[in-house]
Amino acid sequence: MQTDSPVEKKPAVLREFRLERSGGLIDRLLERVAAAPRARYFGRGLVALIAFSILFGWLAGVGHVQLDHPLAYNGDALETLAYFDHDYIANDFDTRLHAPFELEHKQNWYYIYNALFQSNSNLIWLAHLAGGGSMVRTLNLAYLATFLLVFLSAYWVCGRLGLGDPYRFGAASLYALMPYHFQRSVNHFWESSYYLTPLLALVILHLWSARPLAHRWGPQGWQFTWRDPRAIFALVLILFLSSFHPYHQFFFAILAASVAPLAALYRKSWRPLMVGVGLAILAMGVLLLKDGITHALVSPELALSINGQAISGYGSAEVFPLKLTQMLLPVQGHRWHALAAVRAMYDAANPLNNENQTTTLGLLGSFGLLAGLALALVPSSRWRMSRGGKMGVITLLAVLFASMGGISSLISTVSMVLMGPTFILTQARGWDRMIIFVGFFSYFTAFWLLGKGVFCLRRHLPAKLSRAAIAWPIFMVVFGAALWDQVPYVISQQNSDHFLSDQRFFGRLEATLPAQARVMQLPFLVHHVSAWVQPGVYYTDALRPYLSSKMLHFTYGGDQGSVQIQWLKTVTDLPADQSAPYLCRYGFSGVLLQRNMVNDPTAMEQVWVAHLGALPWVSDDRNFSFFDLRTFCASHAIAPLDLHALKASLIEKNEGASHSIAAAAFPHLIGHVASEPDGNVAIVGTAEENGWLGFGPYESLKPGHYQVRFNLADIDIPPDNPITLDVAAQRFGRDVQLAQAKIAVTENARPVLSFTVAPGDSLLQYRIYKPRGASVRFEGVEILKTDE
């Protein structure tokens, strides 16, 4: 068995290092293979890739995939098409969406940034060239390529770690064919692109190596050097490759920092600790650097629609946890109906079964997981510090971090107390995705132990039987059973009716409307927040018009609290007779109703037909209807605004110490929305009404002192029945009131409330409660950060 001696005397250390470089097995046959000419080495890898490609094509039914039709055309797959396909190539996500506050010019630095820091963008470009420029074909090819890339990466790393054929072929194949890979599919292309994870795992294992990473042996013992090829490999990987996926980079930093002290204790040296912590800091620093570069280079204009809203909050660490039971249970839809029923029973009865259902490892992977954990805990240091034992230690750390109620929850809680709800570690979630590290170590350990079992068996068989004659039959039985158990999936393809309908409908629309025409989308949506708009219809369905056109501009989404969202809510709250001229002023050519997102599309269409006097165009699948505004705008001679000047003014206000929120951005339970002569929109509360005239908009502010000015007009409030203004927030999950005032006047007023935001405060609301008998016109609020 291969173990690592903790003694740092030169002869033992260098001998151990040579064993590690040769693969770490004492078997002389593998040493000869490692010393073989490069042509033979690459030839073996090519043969393995061809064999895996055939296996993958047969198991996954690749031959039945229609490359010109999307594998999935709903949910997160639409975001994947938009972000990781369409925008990587055309660079038009920010110039064609978020109308009327879209960017006026493309950000050309985007291509260089992606090439350096978003390695999957390079894969998309290669697939784009191979696919002849088709958007759908590009993503389909890129997704299929991830299987081959994962296999190649895992196959090479397994060889570097001393696992010879046929075992490394089996480990790499099962890792590339994880249920996780099939179930994530193109919907989560980031998660399917885990082909760099084996390389990160190799860097973590290098922390234990006999020769410290980034060191060489000199006259004075171990000396730091940048010339260590392994160190150069780690730096390039962390700086320019793995950083394309923040989750993978973050998990690497967590594991490297956790392994470093253990490796230092084992080696009785501070060097592994220094290197491991340094790599973890570097990995996190790169993520912060990427974020800083983006903020430095991005156009200030983009802040009108994108403010980086949080997509999770405190408590999300346990929403998508890693569950040991899910890793060990049979895969969903198992070929053996009895095992499939067991899995279905668990999924139906237990809570928090969400994306973590994709973490199943299969029977052989489960064996490797349990064996690795056992090796990590056995008293014998010989086994514990073997290759499989070290992987078991890393796996144990990953499980302790990612499991429900694990260290991840502790990190989130401490971060919430010290840094507040907006800090990145408070919001960290999706720890179940650490399965990509656990899976690699589990499959490697399973075949590593199989190889040792075959080696022991060989001693008890006739000497005339060669190693291959024993190893290959046993491997084929085990590998075949593992494939049968683990891969009951094929790459399925959704019905393409909606996709084809969109291509025809928006192609016709684009041919009819002027180039760069703006189209208003209904209903009102907030990026990521709106979630399931209707049963089976996710908010990302609103990306379909963008994906099926090349020049049209749409109003899709925007972040919560942005100028874009305030504007969208204003338009959608106005009745059609006020909304149409409002849209004309902002240069819109039409209104697009997404019929599958509303309960009664016919009723909404009748309102617009009555006002515009023209029937809409309806798509073949009846998911969309379009109203042309051009005739209406021309007949009413509505002059468009100078949007360039308007954006400049909004940007200046956005970058200042204060910001304003229009009344139309506030939810309200009473009152009605009305357009004002200056183009603004107010909420008007009449004397007969009683209740909340405005509340929300649930924004986040940094800790500090602030003032809020309520802009009120046409006030008629009896002295004995005042309106109530207040500022409220959530503090560690509890509602708190930060300021309050009662107003009883009969003239225009702009009352000011002072309040203080503490580190744990979030979801701020500026509220106005109107009693019966009072009337008021609410025009919005202005928030100013003060020094006191």
Side-chain angles (χ1 to χ4, degrees):
M1 180 191 314
Q2 178 209 344
T3 58
D4 289 335
S5 169
V7 181
E8 288 212 11
K9 295 179 180 179
K10 177 179 177 180
V13 169
L14 295 185
R15 176 178 177 275
E16 188 180 347
F17 175 58
R18 284 195 298 270
L19 286 176
E20 288 178 349
R21 289 194 65 186
S22 67
L25 291 179
I26 301 176
D27 193 319
R28 293 186 179 277
L29 176 60
L30 290 182
E31 291 184 5
R32 289 198 298 270
V33 170
R38 288 181 180 269
R40 182 179 175 186
Y41 179 79
F42 286 112
R44 174 172 292 188
L46 180 60
V47 170
L49 178 62
I50 293 172
F52 173 77
S53 301
I54 295 172
L55 179 67
F56 166 58
W58 171 60
L59 281 174
V62 174
H64 299 290
V65 173
Q66 299 181 57
L67 292 178
D68 290 321
H69 293 180
L71 294 176
Y73 196 63
N74 62 354
D76 288 338
L78 292 167
E79 280 195 336
T80 301
L81 279 166
Y83 301 153
F84 301 106
D85 184 346
H86 204 290
D87 193 43
Y88 275 163
I89 305 300
N91 189 15
D92 64 356
F93 189 86
D94 296 322
T95 57
R96 289 212 294 121
L97 295 182
H98 314 307
F101 302 111
E102 69 272 47
L103 292 187
E104 296 178 8
H105 304 287
K106 294 182 178 181
Q107 303 173 103
N108 291 325
W109 59 266
Y110 189 80
Y111 290 114
I112 300 174
Y113 174 86
N114 284 343
L116 291 176
F117 291 110
Q118 309 274 28
S119 63
N120 57 2
S121 73
N122 301 321
L123 174 60
I124 290 292
W125 267 104
L126 292 173
H128 175 76
L129 296 174
S134 164
M135 170 191 69
V136 170
R137 196 182 305 133
T138 293
L139 185 59
N140 289 347
L141 287 173
Y143 173 64
L144 296 176
T146 61
F147 286 89
L148 307 185
L149 292 172
V150 171
F151 170 80
L152 272 178
S153 174
Y155 184 80
W156 181 80
V157 171
C158 286
R160 295 290 298 175
L161 294 175
L163 195 63
D165 284 319
Y167 310 113
R168 68 167 170 167
F169 178 85
S173 296
L174 292 183
Y175 182 62
L177 298 173
M178 287 175 66
Y180 184 85
H181 206 160
F182 287 95
Q183 292 175 318
R184 291 291 184 168
S185 188
V186 296
N187 298 64
H188 292 158
F189 183 69
W190 256 9
E191 309 309 326
S192 298
S193 306
Y194 60 93
Y195 46 83
L196 296 174
T197 303
L199 306 180
L200 292 170
L202 180 62
V203 173
I204 296 173
L205 287 166
H206 276 161
L207 296 176
W208 257 302
S209 64
R211 174 183 173 182
L213 197 63
H215 285 76
R216 66 178 179 85
W217 186 266
Q220 305 300 322
W222 290 119
Q223 297 177 343
F224 180 80
T225 178
W226 288 107
R227 299 182 64 182
D228 180 3
R230 300 172 305 155
I232 297 173
F233 168 81
L235 290 176
V236 172
L237 179 65
I238 294 170
L239 287 172
F240 298 113
L241 297 178
S242 64
S243 59
F244 85 86
H245 195 322
Y247 276 100
H248 300 178
Q249 186 102 332
F250 177 65
F251 294 154
F252 165 80
I254 289 286
L255 294 176
S258 303
V259 165
L262 301 179
L265 287 173
Y266 173 64
R267 289 293 174 192
K268 296 183 174 61
S269 170
W270 53 268
R271 291 182 179 86
L273 178 62
M274 177 193 71
V275 173
V277 173
L279 289 175
I281 293 173
L282 177 64
M284 294 304 297
V286 169
L287 294 181
L288 295 176
L289 175 65
K290 284 178 57 179
D291 186 64
I293 291 175
T294 302
H295 281 86
L297 295 178
V298 75
S299 169
E301 187 180 348
L302 197 60
L304 299 177
S305 55
I306 298 177
N307 57 22
Q309 69 180 17
I311 61 173
S312 63
Y314 175 64
S316 294
E318 295 195 24
V319 174
F320 304 109
L322 191 63
K323 292 184 179 182
L324 182 62
T325 302
Q326 288 179 327
M327 290 189 283
L328 300 178
L329 280 175
V331 299
Q332 294 169 311
H334 197 282
R335 298 176 192 273
W336 189 3
H337 296 305
L339 294 181
V342 170
R343 180 55 188 267
M345 176 184 68
Y346 174 85
D347 291 343
N350 291 277
L352 287 181
N353 289 323
N354 38 56
E355 69 170 42
N356 51 26
Q357 296 181 73
T358 65
T359 59
T360 304
L361 294 172
L363 181 61
L364 191 64
S366 299
F367 167 76
L369 170 62
L370 295 176
L373 294 177
L375 289 173
L377 299 173
V378 294
S380 170
S381 61
R382 182 167 175 261
W383 277 103
R384 193 170 61 251
M385 286 297 104
S386 65
R387 185 73 78 199
K390 291 174 184 175
M391 291 186 174
V393 170
I394 303 173
T395 299
L396 178 60
L397 290 170
V399 172
L400 288 175
F401 270 98
S403 294
M404 185 184 300
I407 301 175
S408 59
S409 296
L410 181 61
I411 291 173
S412 180
T413 301
V414 172
S415 175
M416 177 67 176
V417 173
L418 297 180
M419 306 302 295
T422 60
F423 192 64
I424 185 67
L425 290 180
T426 304
Q427 301 174 32
R429 64 171 192 163
W431 289 85
D432 60 298
R433 301 173 189 187
M434 210 176 245
I435 190 64
I436 57 174
F437 284 93
V438 173
F440 177 75
F441 295 135
S442 298
Y443 293 121
F444 182 98
T445 301
F447 282 98
W448 178 75
L449 289 173
L450 179 62
K452 291 194 172 297
V454 171
F455 180 79
C456 293
L457 177 63
R458 185 183 178 190
R459 294 178 178 178
H460 299 85
L461 295 175
K464 63 181 181 180
L465 286 176
S466 66
R467 172 183 172 274
I470 301 171
W472 276 96
I474 295 176
F475 166 78
M476 293 301 293
V477 170
V478 172
F479 183 56
L483 289 175
W484 176 86
D485 168 73
Q486 178 181 312
V487 192
Y489 311 103
V490 296
I491 296 179
S492 59
Q493 201 155 22
Q494 285 184 336
N495 188 297
S496 299
D497 289 348
H498 291 307
F499 170 70
L500 296 175
S501 173
D502 289 353
Q503 293 288 301
R504 291 189 294 267
F505 182 73
F506 292 105
R508 176 192 174 194
L509 211 60
E510 197 154 40
T512 304
L513 296 177
Q516 314 298 331
R518 290 192 178 101
V519 177
M520 172 69 194
Q521 291 177 265
L522 297 175
F524 169 68
L525 297 175
V526 182
H527 169 66
H528 200 83
V529 173
S530 294
W532 295 99
V533 186
Q534 290 288 325
V537 182
Y538 204 48
Y539 78 96
T540 55
D541 250 42
L543 285 168
R544 287 165 57 183
Y546 162 70
L547 292 171
S548 295
S549 61
K550 296 180 179 179
M551 301 294 289
L552 297 179
H553 292 214
F554 299 93
T555 57
Y556 166 80
D559 286 355
Q560 189 77 286
S562 65
V563 172
Q564 167 77 8
I565 287 301
Q566 296 179 32
W567 186 89
L568 286 176
K569 191 172 186 307
T570 298
V571 176
T572 52
D573 280 356
L574 288 171
D577 61 335
Q578 296 185 44
S579 179
Y582 194 86
L583 289 171
C584 292
R585 294 186 66 203
Y586 281 86
F588 279 81
S589 298
V591 175
L592 181 72
L593 172 64
Q594 194 139 359
R595 306 177 85 253
N596 63 339
M597 285 188 170
V598 296
N599 291 323
D600 191 353
T602 302
M604 292 184 66
E605 288 168 344
Q606 287 174 349
V607 172
W608 282 94
V609 168
H611 186 64
L612 298 178
L615 294 174
W617 301 354
V618 180
S619 63
D620 294 342
D621 62 359
R622 306 195 64 76
N623 280 182
F624 295 96
S625 57
F626 173 77
F627 291 90
D628 196 329
L629 281 176
R630 290 175 296 170
T631 302
F632 175 88
C633 296
S635 63
H636 288 76
I638 301 174
L641 294 171
D642 181 354
L643 285 178
H644 181 78
L646 175 62
K647 290 179 185 179
S649 173
L650 291 171
I651 292 168
E652 183 179 1
K653 184 180 294 186
N654 199 52
E655 292 179 338
S658 65
H659 67 281
S660 60
I661 304 175
F666 287 78
H668 56 99
L669 300 182
I670 64 170
H672 63 277
V673 177
S675 178
E676 298 181 317
D678 61 0
N680 294 323
V681 176
I683 302 176
V684 179
T686 61
E688 295 77 19
E689 298 173 304
N690 175 55
W692 292 104
L693 188 63
F695 56 93
Y698 307 102
E699 72 171 351
S700 294
L701 295 176
K702 294 180 180 179
H705 303 286
Y706 295 86
Q707 288 183 342
V708 56
R709 175 182 289 115
F710 287 80
N711 295 325
L712 309 176
D714 300 335
I715 300 175
D716 186 5
I717 305 173
D720 59 342
N721 204 12
I723 64 172
T724 302
L725 309 176
D726 74 356
V727 181
Q730 276 205 353
R731 181 175 297 168
F732 302 121
R734 300 179 61 184
D735 292 330
V736 294
Q737 190 175 74
L738 305 182
Q740 186 187 59
K742 292 185 180 295
I743 305 297
V745 294
T746 57
E747 58 185 18
N748 291 353
R750 283 177 167 75
V752 175
L753 274 65
S754 297
F755 63 97
T756 300
V757 177
D761 294 347
S762 62
L763 302 177
L764 268 75
Q765 297 189 64
Y766 316 103
R767 305 187 297 190
I768 174 170
Y769 185 89
K770 190 195 77 63
R772 186 172 287 107
S775 61
V776 65
R777 190 181 188 94
F778 176 43
E779 297 178 339
V781 299
E782 297 176 29
I783 298 94
L784 172 68
K785 194 175 192 311
T786 63
D787 296 328
E788 57 180 8

